[in-house]
Amino acid sequence: MFEFDADTTVQRTGEDVFTAEIADRWNTLIGPNGGYLLALAARALAERLPMPHPLTITGHFLRPATAGPAEIRTELIKSGKRHATGAATLSQGGKDVLTTVATFADLNATKGRTLVLNEPPELPPADSLPDPITQLPPEWLPSIAHRVDVRVAQLPGFVRGEPSGKPTADLWVRFADGREQDPLSLVFLVDGALFPVIVEIGEFMSSTVELTVHVRAMPAPGWLACRISTRHVEGGYAEEDFEVWDSTGVLVAQSRQLMLIGG
Amino acid sequence: MFEFDADTTVQRTGEDVFTAEIADRWNTLIGPNGGYLLALAARALAERLPMPHPLTITGHFLRPATAGPAEIRTELIKSGKRHATGAATLSQGGKDVLTTVATFADLNATKGRTLVLNEPPELPPADSLPDPITQLPPEWLPSIAHRVDVRVAQLPGFVRGEPSGKPTADLWVRFADGREQDPLSLVFLVDGALFPVIVEIGEFMSSTVELTVHVRAMPAPGWLACRISTRHVEGGYAEEDFEVWDSTGVLVAQSRQLMLIGG
C-alpha cells in the first residue's frame, strides 16, 4: 500500500463518525502538514457522501495537530443528482483541530464546455532536473520532504540564504513512492508540495487559517507542474495561490489559502 | 436605515438560531443573489461569534432561495485570541439553501507586514463615467441593479450582442443609496456587483457552487475598484476571481467562486 493511502486510512465507527491515526511521515518543521489533515477529512467525507471526488473543499485550521489518534465527525448536508455537500471536523483529545465543508462530485461524469485562458508553468523536463533534496542539509528536511518528490529549475534563493524577494515558485511534484495522483491527493499536494513561497520575502513562520481547494479535472499520471504565488501581504496576512497542471497540460486543481504570518 | 442593513437584519430566537426575511430587492434574473445570502449568514455569525468581522467565509449553495422567511442556524466552533470560527446554515421551509463556514477577526486590530505585488485596476475616475443602467433596457434590469451603482469605461460587449470573448471586467462599484462599505458588505459585493464575466464568452446561465471571500482590510469610504476574471472553464465548471480595491488603493477583499455553467 502506498504511504498516502496507508496514512489517510479512516475507520468508520458510526454513521457519521470515523477514527484515524495521524502519521508522523507528513510533518513540516512544526508538525503535521495542513494539506495532509485536509485530505484525511476529505477521505472520511468520500466514505460518508454518495459522490466520490472532492470538487471544492474548504478547511479552517483551529489548532496544531500532533501525530496520533484523531476522530473525524462528518455530516451529510445535501445529496443531489450532480453534487453532494457535507462537513467534517477533525479533533484530537476532544479538541477540534480542523473544520471543513465540501462539495463532492463524480469528476469522471463532468461534461460541458472547456476554455482555458492560461498556460501551464514553463519548466524544463522534470527528469532533466536534479533532486533538490540532495542539495539540502538533512537537518533541514522534515519527514514530509521524503514523501513528495520535487524538481525545480533552480534552488530557491532562501536556501542559499538569499531570499529573492519574489514570493513565487514553479515546480514539478509527485509522490516519492510512485503513487499516482487522484482528486484526493491533489487536496494534499496544494499544501504539501513546498514551503510557503513567502519564505522568499524572508517570512519563515506562518500558519494556515483557511485553505480552499478546487479539483477541476481527473489528473493524468506523471509529474505535476505547479505554479505558486503570493501577491498580497496585508496586516500580517497573506494569500497563497496554487495551480496544479497534469502531464497532459490540463489544470487539475487550483487552491488559495489565507495564512497568518508569524507566531 | 440603508437598504443593505434593513435587508440583512436577523432576529435572534435562540443562542444559535436566527430568523431573517430574504428581501426581493437583491434579485438577479433568477432569484436572490448568492452574495446577499452569504452576507445574511455572515450577519448572523457576526452576532453569534465574539469577533466582529468576516476574515474568511465560504458558502456552498445548495438550492435556489426565494424572497420570504428564512432561518439561520449557527454554531460557534472555536473562539481564540485572534480568531473565532463558526458555521451557519440558511434554510427556508425546512430545506437548507446555503451552508457556510467562516473565521471572524477584528480587522481594526490586525498588525504585521504589508507588501503588495499587484496594482488596482486602471480605470478613469468613476465620476467621469456614465451610469450604464441608463443605457440598458429596463426589462434587462433585475432589482439588484438598483441597489448597486456601477461605472465601467465601456459597456460590456454582450450588452451590444457582441460578447468580447474575454471573460474579464474592471469596474467601479458602491451602494446606490450611499451606504459606505464595511467588511460585511464586501462579502456581498464580490458576488453582487455584476453579472458573471463568463457572459463575455456567451455563457448566460450559471449557478454558484461555492464562494470564498477573504476580507483583507477595513475598506475606506468611496468608490471601490474591482477586477474580475475567469481563466479556466473545464468540463462545464468555471472559477471567477474577484478583487476589490478601496479609494485609497488598498486591496480590501479577494474572492473566488466555482460556478456550474448551464442548468
Side-chain angles (χ1 to χ4, degrees):
Chain A
M1 191 187 281
F2 292 112
E3 295 168 331
F4 182 76
D5 300 300
D7 294 347
T8 57
T9 300
V10 293
Q11 311 286 343
R12 196 165 186 169
T13 59
E15 187 184 32
D16 289 328
V17 184
F18 297 80
T19 58
E21 190 73 22
I22 297 176
D24 63 4
R25 296 196 286 190
W26 309 85
N27 277 7
T28 68
L29 292 171
I30 56 168
N33 170 258
Y36 166 55
L37 301 174
L38 191 60
L40 260 175
R43 179 99 181 249
L45 282 169
E47 299 204 11
R48 179 66 187 86
L49 304 179
M51 289 282 173
H53 305 130
L55 172 67
T56 164
I57 182 166
T58 290
H60 288 242
F61 293 84
L62 308 169
R63 289 184 179 81
T66 52
E71 184 180 81
I72 304 168
R73 305 185 308 277
T74 64
E75 181 190 357
L76 169 63
I77 297 172
K78 188 194 169 202
S79 176
K81 213 169 41 184
R82 222 190 280 255
H83 297 142
T85 299
T89 297
L90 185 151
S91 61
Q92 290 192 288
K95 293 196 178 255
D96 293 344
V97 166
L98 166 66
T99 193
T100 72
V101 58
T103 292
F104 275 55
D106 182 350
L107 287 166
N108 289 309
T110 60
K111 50 183 197 273
R113 186 162 176 192
T114 292
L115 174 69
V116 175
L117 304 164
N118 187 15
E119 300 283 339
E122 284 183 35
L123 281 161
D127 296 324
S128 71
L129 298 173
D131 181 347
I133 275 196
T134 61
Q135 304 175 45
L136 293 172
E139 66 272 20
W140 284 30
L141 298 174
S143 63
I144 194 173
H146 302 288
R147 305 283 90 70
V148 181
D149 260 1
V150 173
R151 298 289 184 275
V152 284
Q154 53 183 49
L155 275 185
F158 92 95
V159 170
R160 303 183 307 267
E162 296 165 6
S164 67
K166 295 187 185 131
T168 63
D170 290 348
L171 65 154
W172 295 107
V173 298
R174 65 177 185 192
F175 280 117
D177 66 358
R179 183 193 191 276
E180 292 294 354
Q181 43 276 348
D182 58 7
L184 185 72
S185 70
L186 294 175
V187 168
F188 156 68
L189 278 170
V190 297
D191 189 57
L194 201 74
F195 39 80
V197 290
I198 53 171
V199 296
E200 288 294 325
I201 54 168
E203 300 294 346
F204 299 100
M205 288 292 291
S206 61
S207 54
T208 303
V209 177
E210 178 261 332
L211 167 60
T212 294
V213 189
H214 295 173
V215 181
R216 300 294 302 268
M218 292 297 292
W223 285 99
L224 297 164
C226 304
R227 174 184 287 128
I228 320 177
S229 71
T230 290
R231 293 183 304 152
H232 315 94
V233 179
E234 289 185 7
Y237 291 88
E239 91 285 356
E240 183 174 277
D241 286 349
F242 204 112
E243 296 171 10
V244 186
W245 300 76
D246 76 8
S247 60
T248 69
V250 171
L251 177 90
V252 294
Q254 198 176 15
S255 74
R256 175 172 292 159
Q257 63 174 274
L258 186 68
M259 315 166 75
L260 179 64
I261 295 175
Chain B
M1 192 188 281
F2 291 113
E3 295 167 333
F4 182 76
D5 300 299
D7 294 348
T8 56
T9 300
V10 295
Q11 311 287 344
R12 196 164 186 170
T13 59
E15 187 183 32
D16 288 329
V17 184
F18 298 80
T19 58
E21 190 72 23
I22 296 176
D24 64 4
R25 297 197 284 192
W26 309 84
N27 277 8
T28 68
L29 292 170
I30 55 168
N33 168 260
Y36 166 55
L37 301 173
L38 191 59
L40 260 176
R43 181 98 181 248
L45 282 169
E47 299 205 11
R48 179 66 186 89
L49 304 179
M51 288 282 175
H53 305 130
L55 172 69
T56 164
I57 181 165
T58 290
H60 288 244
F61 293 85
L62 308 168
R63 288 182 179 84
T66 52
E71 184 179 83
I72 304 168
R73 304 186 308 278
T74 63
E75 182 191 356
L76 169 64
I77 297 172
K78 190 199 167 200
S79 177
K81 212 169 40 179
R82 221 190 281 254
H83 297 142
T85 299
T89 297
L90 184 150
S91 60
Q92 290 192 288
K95 294 198 179 251
D96 293 345
V97 166
L98 165 66
T99 193
T100 71
V101 59
T103 292
F104 276 54
D106 182 350
L107 287 167
N108 288 309
T110 60
K111 50 183 198 271
R113 186 162 175 190
T114 291
L115 174 69
V116 175
L117 304 164
N118 188 15
E119 300 284 339
E122 284 183 34
L123 280 162
D127 296 324
S128 72
L129 298 173
D131 180 348
I133 274 195
T134 62
Q135 304 175 44
L136 293 171
E139 65 272 20
W140 284 30
L141 298 174
S143 63
I144 194 173
H146 302 288
R147 304 284 90 70
V148 181
D149 260 1
V150 173
R151 297 290 183 275
V152 285
Q154 52 183 50
L155 275 185
F158 92 95
V159 171
R160 304 183 307 266
E162 296 166 6
S164 67
K166 294 185 185 134
T168 62
D170 290 347
L171 66 153
W172 294 109
V173 298
R174 65 176 185 191
F175 280 115
D177 66 357
R179 184 193 190 277
E180 293 295 354
Q181 42 277 347
D182 59 7
L184 185 72
S185 70
L186 295 174
V187 168
F188 156 68
L189 279 170
V190 297
D191 190 55
L194 201 73
F195 39 80
V197 291
I198 54 171
V199 296
E200 289 293 325
I201 54 169
E203 299 295 346
F204 299 100
M205 289 291 291
S206 61
S207 54
T208 303
V209 177
E210 177 261 330
L211 167 61
T212 294
V213 189
H214 295 172
V215 181
R216 301 295 301 271
M218 290 298 292
W223 286 98
L224 297 164
C226 304
R227 176 183 285 127
I228 319 178
S229 70
T230 290
R231 293 183 305 152
H232 314 94
V233 179
E234 288 187 7
Y237 291 88
E239 91 284 355
E240 181 174 279
D241 286 348
F242 204 112
E243 296 171 10
V244 186
W245 300 76
D246 76 8
S247 59
T248 68
V250 171
L251 177 90
V252 293
Q254 199 177 16
S255 74
R256 176 172 291 157
Q257 63 175 276
L258 186 68
M259 315 166 74
L260 180 63
I261 295 175

